[in-house]
Amino acid sequence: MIGVFDSGFGGLTILRDLQKVLPQYDYLYLGDNARAPYGSRSFETIYRYTLQAVRELFSRGCPLVILACNTASARALRSIQQQVLPFEFPDRRVLGIIRPTAEEIGHVSKTGHIGIFATAGTVSSGSYPIEINHFYPELKVTQHACPMWVPLVEYGERESDGARYFVKKEVEAVLREDPEIDTILLACTHYPLLEKAIRESTPPGVNLVFQGSIVADKTVDYLKRHPEIEKRLAKNGKTSFLTTDTAEFFEKGAFFFGMQDISAESLTF
Ligand code: DGL
């Protein structure tokens, strides 16, 4: 199976696009719902939680795990790749979603000014400006943390007046900081669920970039370049779901992320 990990429900927005583009594979999704959100947690905690999840997905037969969470990709990916895999799991791979997104974002902006909406953890890691400027040194990147957005999504408040208020506040703040921004990247997997409220507050000339299809296309490339991983993946088109909260909580919440009639298994670390 391809393991797909997120702190909660947000990674389902990435899973949906993976299933669209690569429907033949089997997926095992793990949402750490009981401990979400990760966004404002310390580096050490995010690393520890993410590593636990990766070990769980490995133990259930995933040769490849995608961290479908920007915060986990920003805070834990490099340490797992450098300090854990070579010693304990030399034949397994863990991929994040920041680099693939950074590689593509430069093609979208005309003004060369990009806004990034992300969690506080992703913003303070500096991963996006570093990765984007590595590929496109000429781009001006303005990051902005939106600490209220994940709780609004996780608790089903996506289209409430409260959601509109907090979305407008952050959109106005980033455009005040750099009025030349013509491209905004939603660099948190939960944020596509706020699309309606974000579009309402965003001026018409500003593009919104969603990560799901970028990550899915990059995974296609990755599997072509890594037949040694690809040939170990099951191809029955099945998806299973694990959550650290109750199965019922996950099944209900996943419905709002477009996953209908699923059944989840609850696990505790
Ligand atoms: N969905 C995650 C991301 O992409 C983080 C949400 C959270 O747990 O704070 O950053």
Side-chain angles (χ1 to χ4, degrees):
M1 292 171 285
I2 299 177
V4 179
F5 168 68
D6 183 52
S7 59
F9 294 115
L12 294 173
T13 62
I14 303 283
L15 176 64
R16 233 169 29 195
D17 281 301
L18 285 167
Q19 288 173 320
K20 231 183 263 165
V21 175
L22 295 165
Q24 67 274 39
Y25 294 108
D26 289 8
Y27 297 92
L28 179 56
Y29 184 90
L30 168 51
D32 192 3
N33 300 81
R35 302 188 294 195
Y38 279 14
S40 47
R41 292 191 188 277
S42 67
F43 173 89
E44 289 74 16
T45 303
I46 296 169
Y47 174 67
R48 185 160 51 85
Y49 288 179
T50 304
L51 183 56
Q52 273 177 339
V54 167
R55 286 187 193 284
E56 184 68 34
L57 290 166
F58 282 169
S59 77
R60 289 176 184 249
C62 300
L64 172 66
V65 171
I66 297 174
L67 302 183
C69 173
N70 289 277
T71 310
S73 299
R75 301 300 223 169
L77 177 66
R78 187 170 305 180
S79 305
I80 292 175
Q81 285 177 333
Q82 293 177 352
Q83 291 160 28
V84 180
L85 298 189
F87 307 103
E88 288 184 56
F89 306 100
D91 62 339
R92 316 265 178 139
R93 294 292 174 267
V94 179
L95 305 177
I97 58 175
I98 294 181
R99 176 159 287 216
T101 308
E103 278 172 11
E104 288 307 302
I105 193 81
H107 302 310
V108 188
S109 173
K110 288 204 174 74
T111 62
H113 292 244
I114 294 187
I116 309 277
F117 285 144
T119 64
T122 301
V123 167
S124 67
S125 74
S127 300
Y128 269 102
I130 294 167
E131 293 285 350
I132 292 174
N133 288 138
H134 170 78
F135 295 108
Y136 307 99
E138 70 288 0
L139 290 186
K140 179 166 174 358
V141 180
T142 303
Q143 307 189 84
H144 190 78
C146 309
M148 288 303 293
W149 290 16
V150 170
L152 285 166
V153 171
E154 289 277 322
Y155 293 99
E157 292 286 328
R158 297 178 317 276
E159 291 177 21
S160 65
D161 290 345
R164 283 199 198 90
Y165 170 82
F166 283 108
V167 166
K168 190 162 183 274
K169 181 169 171 260
E170 311 301 7
V171 171
E172 285 177 355
V174 81
L175 292 175
R176 229 182 357 254
E177 201 173 328
D178 181 358
E180 287 186 69
I181 287 173
D182 72 345
T183 300
I184 290 180
L185 170 66
L186 303 183
C188 171
T189 53
H190 285 66
Y191 296 174
L193 272 287
L194 293 168
E195 178 177 357
K196 194 159 174 249
I198 299 171
R199 285 204 193 278
E200 275 171 23
S201 312
T202 309
V206 176
N207 301 306
L208 292 184
V209 177
F210 299 85
Q211 290 182 289
S213 58
I214 297 176
V215 172
D217 290 346
K218 293 284 180 181
T219 307
V220 173
D221 280 0
Y222 178 86
L223 293 175
K224 275 190 199 140
R225 285 184 288 109
H226 293 275
E228 76 289 359
I229 298 287
E230 199 284 335
K231 65 172 193 264
R232 290 160 63 199
L233 298 173
K235 298 174 190 72
N236 307 301
K238 277 201 211 140
T239 301
S240 316
F241 298 88
L242 298 169
T243 176
T244 54
D245 209 302
T246 63
E248 195 196 0
F249 174 81
F250 187 84
E251 288 157 8
K252 259 197 205 152
F255 178 86
F256 295 102
F257 287 74
M259 297 285 164
Q260 278 129 29
D261 300 324
I262 61 158
S263 65
E265 178 190 331
S266 177
L267 65 88
T268 34
F269 287 127

